Each structure stands twice: as C-alpha cells, then as structure tokens.
Amino acid sequence: QVQLVESGGGLVQAGGSLRLSCAASGSIFGLNVMGWYRQAPGNQREVVALMASGGSTNYADSVKGRFTISRDNAKATVYLQMNSLKPEDTAVYYCSLVWGGRDYWGQGTQVTVSS
C-alpha cells in the first residue's frame, strides 16, 4: 500500500507563490501518473496538473503558464510550483497517484489566496 503525504499549503496574497510537495511512502516504478487535483467548497474536484512516468504533462487551462508540476522519482515525490496565485485558486489541493490499477490520494492541503 502507498501513502501520500502532502505539505506546503497555506495562506498567501494574490500574486504570491506556493510550492506543494507530495511524497509517496514507497518506491514508485513502472507505468504511473502522479498529479494534483483541487476542490473548492461547493465545487467538483478538478484536475490541476498531471505528470506521467514517461514525463508527459497536462495542465488545466486555468493554471497554464502559472503552475508547474515536477517529479523527483528518486524521492518518489511530486511537486506543484504555483506562481501568480489568484483568489480563484483557493481550494483544498489533493495529490494523486494512479499505479498498478489503483488510485491513491493524499489527505489534502488547504491553499487560500487573499485578494
């Protein structure tokens, strides 16, 4: 079983930056996708950014050019660098892993962007 542990959330002013980290409890190998989702109160959970084991990435249109996803496979860790934050980015951010036919989720970390 894999546990995902997130960190880096917090309160930031509009225009500021945050860096989220998510570390898996064990080694990740083979075909897999790691990424970030977010959910604001009253909204559905939406994909923010995904990165496959082969290195390909996908971003939500709303964050393109502002957010960057990266992976450190040696540390089994995925990051989300968030720049030029906007109040509409406020949400609980969840780390995700799809591997071996299973879905894994982090506990979520709150990101609040004030105007």
Side-chain angles (χ1 to χ4, degrees):
Q1 297 295 318
V2 176
Q3 185 178 37
L4 303 177
V5 180
E6 302 172 350
S7 62
L11 175 64
V12 66
Q13 290 186 328
S17 298
L18 285 172
R19 189 185 190 222
L20 306 183
S21 299
C22 172
S25 61
S27 298
I28 306 298
F29 54 88
L31 298 175
N32 65 86
V33 177
M34 298 191 76
W36 296 90
Y37 291 72
R38 67 186 182 187
Q39 187 169 21
N43 293 348
Q44 294 189 129
R45 188 174 298 187
E46 63 177 354
V47 62
V48 176
L50 300 172
M51 191 170 196
S53 51
S56 62
T57 60
N58 285 281
Y59 294 92
D61 287 342
S62 60
V63 307
K64 286 181 179 177
R66 300 189 298 120
F67 292 9
T68 302
I69 188 171
S70 61
R71 294 174 60 155
D72 185 336
N73 291 329
K75 297 180 179 179
T77 300
V78 63
Y79 305 93
L80 186 68
Q81 179 67 47
M82 304 186 293
N83 298 326
S84 302
L85 283 162
K86 304 174 180 179
E88 49 263 45
D89 295 319
T90 296
V92 178
Y93 284 70
Y94 297 90
C95 177
S96 73
L97 166 67
V98 180
W99 180 49
R102 298 179 182 272
D103 298 343
Y104 303 89
W105 294 92
Q107 79 284 356
T109 184
Q110 177 70 47
V111 172
T112 302
V113 184
S114 62
S115 61

